[in-house]
Amino acid sequence: QAESLIKQDIIWLKHPRIPDAPLKIYFDIEGDPLLQVQYLFGFWVVEGNKPGRYISFLAEQPEDEKNLWDKFVQWVRTLPNTDYQVYHFADYERSRTLGMAKQYGGADIIQPFVDRFIDLSTTVQESIIFPLYFYSIKDIAKSKFLNYKWRHPKAGGAQSIFWYEKWLETGDRQVLQDIIDYNEDDVVATEYLHHWLDQSAKK
């Protein structure tokens, strides 16, 4: 890590090998630990060479969390039985999804979905040393090596929580839209990182 920081360059440990699939789903959850609610499940869905599309399930109020969950489970039921993978960054999506399945039910449907999870943060840790002090998706994607940009300059997990609590206080739907836009940028950034890792592996 010190060598990477001094050189301000990447050190490759090994070429990443990421399982591919005809249907790729990129997943990110927004949650508020103080209110103990998961208020947004967001997905970037890429099928073959078709343009990606964003799908989200939102709890506009904390008491809507179960409704969010039920809609998510219904959507998982519609996924094809053909091969697909679910890509995410860090363990939050896995732990929260399994936790909510235990809380609200549907584990028999959700477990096969979770079994397809691929944590790109693990891939990064095993493959690359970045000249960075923090390894969040934002630190990596915003670095000079990827140069991905979020739409909102203040975008971040803490900012999303602030926006959600502001939305609950004011009912300002623009604030709610900021949360959704931020989440969409997050899942697109996850795809962007996946593509960058794949391209780097081919060099």
Side-chain angles (χ1 to χ4, degrees), residues 157-177:
Q159 183 65 37
S160 177
I161 294 168
F162 172 79
W163 280 331
Y164 187 65
E165 294 180 0
K166 185 177 179 182
W167 149 251
L168 295 177
E169 180 184 346
T170 66
D172 183 345
R173 299 204 74 85
Q174 181 55 55
V175 175
L176 194 63
Q177 189 60 50

Side-chain angles (χ1 to χ4, degrees), residues 31-39 62 65 96 103-104:
D32 187 328
L34 294 177
L35 297 177
Q36 295 187 322
V37 61
Q38 312 310 313
Y39 53 86
E65 184 185 64
R96 289 297 84 217
Q103 181 180 359
Y104 293 127

Side-chain angles (χ1 to χ4, degrees), residues 104-145:
Y104 293 127
D108 57 325
I109 298 160
I110 296 305
Q111 187 62 57
F113 181 78
V114 173
D115 288 343
R116 297 171 185 265
F117 277 21
I118 296 172
D119 184 352
L120 293 180
S121 72
T122 300
T123 303
V124 168
Q125 290 166 17
E126 292 174 349
S127 306
I128 316 165
I129 300 173
F130 282 96
L132 302 170
Y133 290 101
F134 302 101
Y135 273 53
S136 73
I137 182 73
K138 286 162 202 68
D139 289 302
I140 292 170
K142 286 181 175 180
S143 73
K144 65 182 180 180
F145 306 101

Side-chain angles (χ1 to χ4, degrees), residues 38-178:
Q38 312 310 313
Y39 53 86
L40 180 60
F41 277 28
F43 303 91
W44 185 248
V45 181
V46 182
E47 188 172 1
N49 294 321
K50 296 178 183 177
R53 57 193 175 94
Y54 177 66
I55 297 171
S56 64
F57 304 100
L58 178 67
E60 291 197 3
Q61 300 294 321
E63 57 267 27
D64 296 332
E65 184 185 64
K66 185 179 185 305
N67 186 48
L68 173 157
W69 176 258
D70 290 343
K71 288 181 178 178
F72 162 63
V73 173
Q74 289 170 17
W75 175 70
V76 171
R77 285 179 183 271
T78 70
L79 293 175
N81 292 325
T82 54
D83 191 23
Y84 69 89
Q85 297 287 355
V86 183
Y87 305 91
H88 62 104
F89 194 91
D91 189 58
Y92 192 78
E93 283 65 36
R94 176 183 293 274
S95 64
R96 289 297 84 217
T97 301
L98 291 175
M100 291 176 75
K102 188 175 181 180
Q103 181 180 359
Y104 293 127
D108 57 325
I109 298 160
I110 296 305
Q111 187 62 57
F113 181 78
V114 173
D115 288 343
R116 297 171 185 265
F117 277 21
I118 296 172
D119 184 352
L120 293 180
S121 72
T122 300
T123 303
V124 168
Q125 290 166 17
E126 292 174 349
S127 306
I128 316 165
I129 300 173
F130 282 96
L132 302 170
Y133 290 101
F134 302 101
Y135 273 53
S136 73
I137 182 73
K138 286 162 202 68
D139 289 302
I140 292 170
K142 286 181 175 180
S143 73
K144 65 182 180 180
F145 306 101
L146 278 75
N147 201 30
Y148 179 84
K149 291 180 172 34
W150 274 254
R151 276 172 277 184
H152 199 290
K154 292 184 179 179
Q159 183 65 37
S160 177
I161 294 168
F162 172 79
W163 280 331
Y164 187 65
E165 294 180 0
K166 185 177 179 182
W167 149 251
L168 295 177
E169 180 184 346
T170 66
D172 183 345
R173 299 204 74 85
Q174 181 55 55
V175 175
L176 194 63
Q177 189 60 50
D178 286 340

